Amino acid sequence: MSGNETTKGYSIEILIEEHENITRMLQVLRTMCRRILEGGEVVTEDFREGISFIRNYADRHHHGKEEKFLFPEMTVHLGGPAQKLITHGMLVEHDLGRGHVLALETALTDYEKEPTADHKLDILAGAMAYVNLLTGHIDKENQVVFTFAQRQLPGEVLEEVDQACRAYEKEEKNKEVRESYLALLKRLEEAYLLTEKI
């Protein structure tokens, strides 16, 4: 962690860092879609690896910490505005994202059975719906939700959230998730983003 840990708190720092990694995957997915538009093949295996990253790193690992540790404390301690922001905003968007990923997965399965233009279009639609949703979602969390939490939550509550996140990050299974999916992200970046610059 950087020196910002003392100002933002460990949990906020780790969530922002994970947002940066998720944003990198969004860039990969966008590039995958653009290549298809430019006449490239649909590499279903790479899309499925992207889905695995989304479900296991972005959703279970990252959103899991938000939903278990930070968001409940905000709704309990910060009243109506936080409840509206979290319950009717962030959690709804988490669910919308899961729906877009399921639509992408279904489109990939349909395309593998019958590689039609319609199924290719569904792949692009599902992937880009997720990319666009998460891009805005990440910005809202970084700029609004986390700032609100830092300014308004009592210091001892933030420290409890930090401790819960530290314990979560130290668990061996969570270390393995982090390491394996960051390696997968790097591999996809090398295949899609680094080749763009050559």
Side-chain angles (χ1 to χ4, degrees):
M1 281 299 109
S2 66
N4 289 339
E5 179 177 324
T6 53
T7 56
K8 289 192 174 178
Y10 175 84
S11 55
I12 300 297
E13 280 290 315
I14 208 80
L15 292 171
I16 289 173
E17 185 179 301
E18 288 169 354
H19 277 169
E20 291 168 1
N21 295 329
I22 295 164
T23 297
R24 289 163 58 196
M25 179 57 79
L26 299 180
Q27 292 168 342
V28 169
L29 288 171
R30 186 179 182 87
T31 301
M32 291 166 69
C33 290
R34 182 170 48 73
R35 286 193 183 180
I36 293 170
L37 282 176
E38 292 171 345
E41 295 297 314
V42 178
V43 186
T44 56
E45 301 84 5
D46 289 349
F47 275 105
R48 289 191 186 281
E49 286 201 317
I51 288 173
S52 183
F53 177 95
I54 290 164
R55 285 185 170 154
N56 293 292
Y57 182 86
D59 199 11
R60 291 190 186 104
H61 186 74
H62 171 77
H63 289 160
K65 285 197 288 287
E66 292 175 339
E67 293 178 4
K68 288 177 195 170
F69 308 136
L70 179 63
F71 291 173
E73 297 295 349
M74 291 181 71
T75 56
V76 166
H77 293 280
L78 302 182
Q83 289 171 6
K84 186 179 289 186
L85 180 63
I86 299 301
T87 307
H88 302 296
M90 300 304 98
L91 295 180
V92 169
E93 290 183 0
H94 286 184
D95 282 339
L96 280 172
R98 292 167 190 139
H100 292 323
V101 172
L102 181 59
L104 171 58
E105 184 178 50
T106 301
L108 289 167
T109 299
D110 291 342
Y111 183 84
E112 287 166 339
K113 291 176 184 172
E114 188 181 3
T116 65
D118 275 342
H119 292 149
K120 190 183 288 187
L121 180 61
D122 290 339
I123 291 169
L124 296 174
M128 286 309 303
Y130 181 80
V131 168
N132 291 331
L133 174 72
L134 260 286
T135 299
H137 178 80
I138 285 170
D139 187 59
K140 277 183 272 188
E141 286 190 336
N142 286 351
Q143 301 301 323
V144 179
V145 178
F146 297 161
T147 303
F148 186 29
Q150 288 169 257
R151 287 181 179 163
Q152 301 297 326
L153 278 176
E156 63 272 16
V157 173
L158 276 172
E159 182 55 35
E160 287 174 11
V161 174
D162 286 350
Q163 288 175 4
C165 280
R166 278 194 182 92
Y168 183 91
E169 291 295 303
K170 285 178 182 175
E171 288 181 29
E172 195 58 38
K173 64 180 181 180
N174 296 325
K175 283 184 186 177
E176 289 172 7
V177 166
R178 192 168 60 246
E179 289 169 7
S180 65
Y181 282 99
L182 291 181
L184 183 154
L185 172 60
K186 185 178 178 185
R187 189 167 72 249
L188 288 176
E189 281 183 316
E190 288 170 353
Y192 286 93
L193 299 184
L194 296 184
T195 55
E196 299 280 304
K197 299 170 185 173
I198 295 173

